[in-house]
Amino acid sequence: MGNAFYITTPIYYVNASPHIGHAYTTIIADVLARYSRLAGRQTFFSTGTDEHGDKIAEAAQKGQVTPQEYADRISNQFRELWPKLAVTNDVFIRTTDANHIETVQSILKKVYEAGDIYFGQYEGFYCVGCERFYMEKELIDGLCPDHQTKPEYRQESNYFFRMSKYQDWLIGYIQDNPDFIRPERYKNEVISFLKEPLEDLCISRPKTRLEWGVTLPFDDNYVTYVWFDALINYITVLGYPDGEKFRTFWPVSQHLIAKDILKPHGIYWPTMLKAAGIEPYQHLNVHGYWTVEQSKMSKSLGNVIKPLDLKDKYGLDAFRYYLLREMVFGLDSSFSEESFVQRINSELANDLGNLVSRSMTMALKYMEGKVVRSNAPSDKDRDLERAAIATVAEVENCFENMTFHKALIAVWELINRTNKYIVEEEPWTLAKSPENKVRLETVIYHLLESLRIIAILILPVMPGTTEKIMEQLGIKDVEGQDLNSARKWGELQEGNILKKSDALFPRVEFKKEEAPVVEKKKMKPVKPEISYEDFEKIDLRVAEILAAENIPGAKKLLKLRIDMGEERTIVAGIAQDYKPEALVGKKIVVLCNLKPTKLMGVESNGMLLATDGVDGVTLLGFDREPETGATVR
Ligand code: MSP
């Protein structure tokens, strides 16, 4: 790192509330920003939300609100979460901000005028979840490899970015700058994408299909593809093209992402920058995925982990520590509440908590509540001094290389070494005879000075704990602490007033059965028992859908004309999950002896059967074609 540092997180989609994955990336960015400030660098840290596109428009429609209202609501959840997790971002960008829209349009115009955006015909398989077209060979059994859903076949005229033109340049650039994308496994992944010819990128969506986006400055019948919009946030926040911030921070820009969005960041973004005449970012840092007890986190599995639940239950610093200590940057990690509790008890309560509490108790007792310096270090004392200073260098090295777990391991080695020093030096024995006074002062000073260095080293990860330790050591200027003062032994001032506080990390007990943070999806309560005679009263039939249409003014309802041996009309609440045209010809199950009722002025003569899950409704289907009108029992 040079004298300035710029770190970004992905801007998160507003189609779902924040979970532990978003918290991880943002906390890592915060740790880096805090570290860089500690190292005396001019630092800029940005995060925000990505609000345009199909995904958001669809989620808003489901929630029956406008896309803007929907985006406002979820964006606020992110914005309000970060301070609660002690995240110190300098800016929070939304892609709906006016200055961002202006920047996106200025880049589009520039690239268009340079001839790198052209109009053409596109057809292919489009996955709404990924917001992108797939080539047939990329699909697995005809399904999107990420979402396991069937993509729609779409054909339309669109604008394209001449990405292919920059393929050779990008390959050369990555070869010349081996740590452009890191860790190495992800650089290799990008290189292997680039072994195949790069296709031009479709960067528009016709407004007839999607209005929720940034209008193309050269054709107002189209909006911009979300990625072309979203990636540009990283320069909007710096005031591109003229801002002072842009000049200072862009040359030292570092992006932080998980592996899911490697391709847009590793390929689209550098080629877009090149086409716009902007230098590439400095580093792309890619981490792995948090899973929950080995499976993917998802709303429908009901295992989404909410960062605030963990913070409220176990404390913020413990949560931040666990995230950084548990995951090896770059690899996947499985979250388990049990292993979290284990780390709290052994590494935080036992190792660090005990060291602070024992040292402070002895210092207060033997030094009359003040820091006393002495100048008679033994070889053992010198060893501890050297170990502390070497730890500072090791931690710096780890932070520069994104090996956060190793940084924490190094600090914990120093903690354990200091704990061992207490056992070996036995201050309580020294205190028994007055002739050991200077020796006792030396030992206690060494303990307190180690604590000071440890407190600075954990600051990026556990700022609250640093503050508490500093307070106990009588250090008033917590904000003014920097890495320089950790690199030097002996900075703890004589005469500082010491103060004992409560345990830093009380031990916690893990009770599996008691309100686990990872809640398994629960079965809804079963309704009261019915007799066979009651069941016999229910008349279920197979019916074929002949026609389907929306009911004006009813967002959720569809009017269906069905055939089940006789023709009938029914009204079904499935409009948010099924398009009318996709239903014609489908066979469904209908409860046909339900008393007729009027819904939005249309008489319904039966009720179709469908599941009612968190992700919407699914019609009951058949594994082979049934006869229309057949009874279902
Ligand atoms: N909007 C795009 C990013 C545009 S950036 C110009 C997007 N948004 S997202 O909401 O899906 O966020 C993806 C990012 O969230 C990941 O890259 C990662 O930073 C974080 N994570 C989401 N789930 C995660 C895990 N399960 N594990 C770790 N990080 C995860 O993609």
Side-chain angles (χ1 to χ4, degrees), residues 16-65:
S17 301
H19 58 59
I20 190 179
H22 307 116
Y24 176 72
T25 315
T26 314
I27 287 173
I28 292 269
D30 184 63
V31 167
L32 286 167
R34 284 176 182 272
Y35 167 73
S36 138
R37 288 184 209 116
L38 202 59
R41 290 171 192 139
Q42 201 187 344
T43 301
F44 196 68
F45 165 19
S46 97
T47 186
T49 43
D50 187 357
E51 307 185 4
H52 291 125
D54 281 328
K55 241 196 246 211
I56 314 301
E58 272 188 13
Q61 205 192 7
K62 259 198 168 167
Q64 301 190 0
V65 290

Side-chain angles (χ1 to χ4, degrees), residues 202-418:
C202 176
I203 55 145
S204 65
R205 300 287 178 263
K207 280 194 183 167
T208 46
R209 191 153 62 67
L210 174 75
E211 283 204 44
W212 184 237
V214 177
T215 301
L216 294 185
F218 40 82
D219 186 342
D220 63 10
N221 292 314
Y222 287 85
V223 294
T224 321
Y225 170 48
V226 277
W227 277 106
F228 208 97
D229 162 359
L231 289 160
I232 290 172
N233 92 85
Y234 299 135
I235 57 173
T236 301
V237 294
L238 299 181
Y240 170 85
D242 303 315
E244 175 59 34
K245 280 204 194 86
F246 184 73
R247 277 189 293 280
T248 309
F249 292 113
W250 187 247
V252 291
S253 49
Q254 300 213 26
H255 301 312
L256 197 56
I257 59 166
K259 61 185 184 179
D260 54 336
I261 48 178
L262 177 60
K263 197 167 178 179
H265 283 81
I267 296 184
Y268 304 174
W269 184 220
T271 55
M272 281 165 64
L273 287 165
K274 180 77 182 158
I278 305 170
E279 284 299 303
Y281 52 78
Q282 192 185 18
H283 294 296
L284 178 63
N285 306 294
V286 190
H287 64 77
Y289 245 54
W290 279 98
T291 56
V292 177
E293 282 149 16
Q294 317 303 335
S295 50
K296 207 175 161 185
M297 236 184 308
S298 86
K299 226 170 25 171
S300 47
L301 286 176
N303 63 356
V304 173
I305 301 184
K306 304 251 173 67
L308 281 184
D309 292 355
L310 286 171
K311 178 210 149 200
D312 292 344
K313 195 163 173 188
Y314 297 110
L316 177 57
D317 280 12
F319 174 52
R320 290 174 59 115
Y321 173 79
Y322 173 77
L323 290 181
L324 272 95
R325 177 63 187 80
E326 185 73 16
M327 184 177 254
V328 175
F329 190 89
L331 304 181
D332 290 351
S333 244
S334 178
F335 173 83
S336 121
E337 196 171 343
E338 199 166 0
S339 79
F340 182 15
V341 167
Q342 262 169 20
R343 286 202 186 278
I344 294 179
N345 288 336
S346 73
E347 290 150 31
L348 298 180
N350 235 12
D351 300 344
L352 175 58
N354 272 347
L355 174 64
V356 174
S357 139
R358 292 160 88 190
S359 306
M360 291 310 299
T361 307
M362 290 189 288
L364 283 164
K365 189 163 161 199
Y366 306 137
M367 299 293 124
E368 291 165 2
K370 281 191 188 149
V371 173
V372 179
R373 290 199 66 158
S374 76
N375 289 315
S378 69
D379 285 351
K380 275 227 170 109
D381 303 337
R382 289 275 185 225
D383 282 351
L384 182 65
E385 292 173 18
R386 270 192 295 272
I389 301 306
T391 306
V392 179
E394 169 71 6
V395 168
E396 286 185 63
N397 184 39
C398 292
F399 275 120
E400 307 288 338
N401 292 305
M402 306 266 157
T403 46
F404 306 103
H405 73 293
K406 281 194 184 156
L408 291 171
I409 290 173
V411 178
W412 257 253
E413 274 170 7
L414 177 61
I415 290 172
N416 291 334
R417 189 182 180 117
T418 315

